[in-house]
């Protein structure tokens, strides 16, 4: 009986020892599996991270290239527009150095001298600004620059003067609606814009030879469309820039003169603005009338300030 118990006890010890060995082995295998899984997961994460970094780098490189191309394109476009604008300004500056602008300036200086002699004004009450370029925007939003011969600053307001010196016979202010002996001129041109507005026709004689070599006189007809309306638009642009000035202070003047005879110019315009002056005498009478009949709104100090503001706003040659 004792022997059997001893055998059973020994058997139990052996079984416990075996089970402990088995459990330890299973634990070791489980530990190795866990470590191996960790390594595999870490390796997979590293590979995925590397792949994402590579893709991100490629994407960023592509975006940078696209951005660089966009920046280069914008810069090239800007430089082209800037160059074009500078060329246009240079062209206008060259065009200002012509006899007609010097002639208008002399007329204005003579008018000022007469007004000073008659004590209508003081020296600082009339400022003449020549060679002015007014920037403005078209209906399409395009930025352009318009050359004006002169800007005259008086106590009665600001006067934009556009000078026109054309040889031949000039007929200004003609319309489709107005019946006149020159209706046939509208049949020569078929521009759609001729339906609206007032237009200017210049008729001049030119000498030339035909195919046979014989010299003949020919009639040249030039059309200028809506020059008055464009000048009024520029006056409104100036009013917006000098927003604190009353609109009645900015007056557009279309000044015609002829190298030969003022009687060659006819004004058929029925509009109040722009003010049309033909020849030095007409311009002198208008300025004197303004000084004598209109309210003086600007002091000498204010005129000087307006001149400075104009110089800050616009281009001068």
């Amino acid at each position: 009986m004792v022997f059997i118990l001893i055998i059973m006890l020994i058997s139990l010890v052996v079984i416990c020892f075996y089970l402990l060995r088995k459990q330890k082995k299973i634990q070791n295998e489980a530990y190795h599996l866990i470590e191996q899984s960790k390594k595999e997961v870490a390796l997979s994460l590293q590979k995925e991270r590397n792949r994402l970094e590579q893709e991100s780098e490629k994407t960023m490189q592509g975006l940078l290239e696209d951005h660089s191309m966009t920046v280069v394109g914008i810069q090239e476009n800007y430089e082209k527009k800037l160059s074009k604008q500078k060329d246009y300004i240079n062209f206008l500056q060259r065009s200002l150095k012509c006899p007609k602008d010097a002639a208008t300036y002399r007329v204005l200086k003579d008018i000022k001298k007469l007004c000073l002699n008659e004590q209508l004004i003081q020296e600082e009450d009339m400022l003449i600004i020549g060679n002015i370029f007014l920037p403005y925007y078209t209906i399409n939003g395009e930025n352009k620059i318009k050359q004006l011969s002169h800007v005259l600053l008086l106590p009665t307001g600001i006067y934009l003067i556009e000078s026109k010196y054309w040889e031949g016979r000039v007929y200004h202010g003609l319309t489709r609606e107005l019946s006149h002996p020159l209706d046939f001129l509208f049949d020569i041109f078929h521009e759609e814009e001729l339906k609206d507005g007032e237009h200017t026709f210049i008729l001049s004689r030119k000498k030339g030879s035909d195919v046979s070599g014989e010299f003949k006189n020919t009639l040249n007809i030039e059309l200028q469309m809506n020059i008055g309306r464009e000048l009024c638009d520029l006056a409104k642009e100036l009013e917006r820039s000098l927003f604190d000035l009353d609109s009645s202070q900015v007056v557009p003047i279309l000044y015609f003169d002829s190298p030969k005879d003022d009687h060659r110019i006819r004004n058929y315009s029925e509009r109040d603005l722009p003010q049309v002056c033909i020849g030095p005498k007409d311009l002198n009478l208008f300025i004197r009338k303004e000084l004598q009949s209109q309210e003086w709104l600007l002091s000498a100090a204010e005129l000087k300030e307006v001149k400075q503001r104009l110089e800050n706003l616009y281009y001068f040659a």
Side-chain angles (χ1 to χ4, degrees):
M1 185 69 178
V2 177
F3 179 75
I4 295 173
L5 290 173
I6 294 172
I7 292 176
M8 290 178 63
L9 181 60
I10 294 173
S11 299
L12 183 59
V13 171
V14 172
I15 292 172
C16 289
F17 180 77
Y18 173 77
L19 291 175
L20 289 173
R21 292 283 303 270
K22 187 70 174 179
Q23 183 181 6
K24 188 175 181 179
K25 183 177 181 182
I26 292 173
Q27 288 179 346
N28 290 336
E29 290 177 354
Y31 174 79
H32 289 301
L33 287 173
I34 291 172
E35 290 296 322
Q36 185 177 359
S37 297
K38 287 182 178 180
K39 292 180 180 179
E40 291 177 354
V41 170
L43 182 61
S44 299
L45 290 174
Q46 185 63 38
K47 289 182 179 179
E48 184 66 16
R49 185 182 293 110
N50 293 337
R51 185 184 68 81
L52 292 175
E53 288 178 353
Q54 291 176 358
E55 290 183 357
S56 176
E57 185 177 354
K58 290 181 181 179
T59 302
M60 289 297 297
Q61 186 67 27
L63 290 175
L64 288 174
E65 291 177 357
D66 293 340
H67 178 71
S68 299
M69 293 177 63
T70 303
V71 171
V72 170
I74 293 174
Q75 185 176 1
E76 290 179 352
N77 188 38
Y78 170 77
E79 289 177 353
K80 287 180 181 179
K81 288 185 177 180
L82 182 61
S83 177
K84 186 177 180 181
Q85 196 84 304
K86 288 181 178 179
D87 292 341
Y88 185 50
I89 292 174
N90 291 333
F91 167 75
L92 291 176
Q93 288 175 336
R94 289 194 301 270
S95 69
L96 280 172
K97 299 175 183 178
C98 59
K100 75 177 184 67
D101 299 296
T104 302
Y105 183 77
R106 286 195 298 269
V107 169
L108 292 173
K109 292 290 286 186
D110 290 342
I111 293 173
K112 181 176 182 179
K113 185 177 180 179
L114 289 173
C115 292
L116 287 171
N117 292 337
E118 297 179 17
Q119 297 183 350
L120 289 177
I121 60 170
Q122 299 296 321
E123 177 69 31
E124 61 273 12
D125 291 331
M126 181 182 292
L127 303 179
I128 304 169
I129 307 174
N131 302 356
I132 184 172
F133 302 89
L134 299 182
Y136 69 102
Y137 288 93
T138 64
I139 298 176
N140 298 327
E142 184 179 358
N143 187 11
K144 287 192 174 183
I145 297 177
K146 171 66 179 177
Q147 174 264 329
L148 285 176
S149 302
H150 297 86
V151 172
L152 182 65
L153 302 181
L154 296 175
T156 53
I158 302 173
Y159 299 82
L160 306 185
I161 303 177
E162 174 75 351
S163 300
K164 299 296 182 184
Y165 283 73
W166 287 319
E167 292 188 1
R169 297 191 178 275
V170 179
Y171 302 92
H172 171 69
L174 299 180
T175 65
R176 279 284 190 185
E177 296 77 14
L178 180 64
S179 178
H180 47 73
L182 301 171
D183 286 338
F184 71 93
L185 293 175
F186 286 89
D187 298 328
I188 299 175
F189 299 90
H190 302 286
E191 280 80 356
E192 190 70 21
E193 293 84 352
L194 287 177
K195 292 181 179 180
D196 301 317
E198 295 183 341
H199 310 290
T200 307
F201 292 89
I202 305 101
L203 280 64
S204 59
R205 182 186 302 174
K206 289 189 176 181
K207 292 184 178 181
S209 59
D210 56 16
V211 291
S212 64
E214 182 180 356
F215 284 93
K216 292 184 178 181
N217 289 327
T218 59
L219 178 64
N220 181 66
I221 302 176
E222 182 181 350
L223 168 64
Q224 296 286 333
M225 296 189 298
N226 287 316
I227 58 175
R229 185 172 65 187
E230 182 181 11
L231 186 58
C232 290
D233 291 342
L234 287 171
K236 292 178 181 177
E237 184 69 26
L238 182 57
E239 290 169 14
R240 286 191 289 269
S241 300
L242 304 174
F243 56 88
D244 56 337
L245 294 178
D246 185 84
S247 61
S248 62
Q249 293 178 268
V250 182
V251 180
I253 300 176
L254 195 55
Y255 175 63
F256 291 97
D257 204 351
S258 172
K260 297 181 180 180
D261 186 2
D262 293 345
H263 297 293
R264 292 172 173 265
I265 304 168
R266 293 288 183 270
N267 177 32
Y268 292 91
S269 176
E270 296 182 343
R271 297 180 177 178
D272 296 332
L273 292 176
Q275 175 67 38
V276 178
C277 296
I278 301 175
K281 183 177 180 180
D282 198 11
L283 184 60
N284 178 41
L285 289 175
F286 172 74
I287 292 176
R288 291 164 64 88
K289 182 180 178 181
E290 289 288 294
L291 291 171
Q292 293 172 338
S293 63
Q294 297 296 325
E295 180 184 0
W296 284 34
L297 303 171
L298 301 172
S299 64
E302 289 172 328
L303 288 174
K304 186 176 180 181
E305 180 184 355
V306 171
K307 182 176 182 293
Q308 292 175 345
R309 291 175 63 179
L310 283 171
E311 290 173 346
N312 292 332
L313 280 172
Y314 303 124
Y315 301 94
F316 291 83

